Amino acid sequence: IDTPQLDETGAPVLDAEGNEVMVKETTDSYTNATRYATGDILPKLYGGFGTSLNVYGFDFGISFAYQLGGRIYDNTYASLMHQGTSDDMGTNWHRDILNAWTPENTDTDVPMLNYNADGYANYTSTRFLTSSDYLSINNITFGYTLPKSFTKQLGIQNIRLYVAADNVAVFAARQGLDPRQGYSASGNDTYSPMKTVSGGVTMTF
């Protein structure tokens, strides 16, 4: 919360323009907390790139997509960093909860696990606002075209064997986070695109 800074007489400290100097203080009640604008969360740059190669009848192709300069609220991570309240019974924890504050582990940004004293530790805040930068491998293809000297004997102009993989991987700020789910927040109920692997034969007569 914001409170006025006081001098030794108890009077508010004023800045050069005559405005009260405010200081931030912690509060154990989220209803008293002050909200602050966190800046633009939209990415500054996004796009894609790829390449393809063909040599000695073999062909290979790969395509990527990326996003840079944005931020996203990691709702899935927040839900896994709960305080173990009755509403969260049976809910998994993220492994980062092992780094929660204890008297022996004070150099951490994960609050102490204390059901009674700190029920608001993982409420919505900038604590779970993280980079939405990502690099995704969207597609990989690999193929081989049989020599024409062989296919002509079969009365076929062209035969190509291939295998393809889609939605191969996403590399983001946190393992398990998929910034492609939305610009503002990741969702517990939104699945990432399904990974698929397929293969086949194409013939030209």
Side-chain angles (χ1 to χ4, degrees):
I1 58 176
D2 284 342
T3 59
Q5 181 179 343
L6 305 179
D7 60 20
E8 61 276 6
T9 67
V13 176
L14 304 179
D15 60 19
E17 298 177 355
N19 301 314
E20 291 185 350
V21 176
M22 307 299 288
V23 294
K24 296 180 175 64
E25 294 185 2
T26 58
T27 175
D28 60 1
S29 174
Y30 75 95
T31 58
N32 294 329
T34 305
R35 295 184 177 183
Y36 297 93
T38 60
D40 188 4
I41 66 171
L42 296 179
K44 304 298 185 293
L45 181 68
Y46 56 89
F49 61 95
T51 188
S52 60
L53 300 171
N54 289 274
V55 59
Y56 299 119
F58 292 96
D59 61 90
F60 173 80
I62 186 169
S63 62
F64 299 86
Y66 65 89
Q67 178 173 288
L68 298 172
R71 292 182 295 169
I72 191 170
Y73 184 81
D74 194 347
N75 187 60
T76 303
Y77 182 71
S79 67
L80 294 173
M81 294 295 288
H82 60 85
Q83 290 286 294
T85 65
S86 58
D87 292 338
D88 297 313
M89 285 185 177
T91 303
N92 286 333
W93 265 305
H94 192 279
R95 63 185 177 186
D96 287 354
I97 206 70
L98 296 173
N99 198 35
W101 187 96
T102 66
E104 296 76 27
N105 182 39
T106 58
D107 185 19
T108 178
D109 59 356
V110 180
M112 172 181 61
L113 282 176
N114 190 326
Y115 171 82
N116 293 320
D118 196 5
Y120 306 113
N122 71 324
Y123 267 49
T124 303
S125 72
T126 54
R127 176 187 171 200
F128 301 110
L129 196 62
T130 188
S131 170
S132 64
D133 295 356
Y134 75 83
L135 174 67
S136 65
I137 304 176
N138 291 350
N139 175 266
I140 298 175
T141 59
F142 180 75
Y144 176 66
T145 301
L146 274 63
K148 290 186 179 296
S149 58
F150 173 76
T151 57
K152 285 183 178 179
Q153 297 178 19
L154 303 176
I156 301 173
Q157 183 178 348
N158 186 71
I159 299 178
R160 177 176 176 264
L161 312 175
Y162 71 90
V163 61
D166 295 305
N167 304 311
V168 179
V170 179
F171 304 96
R174 179 179 291 115
Q175 185 178 4
L177 171 64
D178 189 346
R180 300 173 301 176
Q181 292 180 339
Y183 280 126
S184 60
S186 67
N188 298 338
D189 56 351
T190 304
Y191 290 99
S192 299
M194 183 179 296
K195 296 179 182 179
T196 61
V197 178
S198 59
V201 179
T202 59
M203 298 182 182
T204 304
F205 292 94

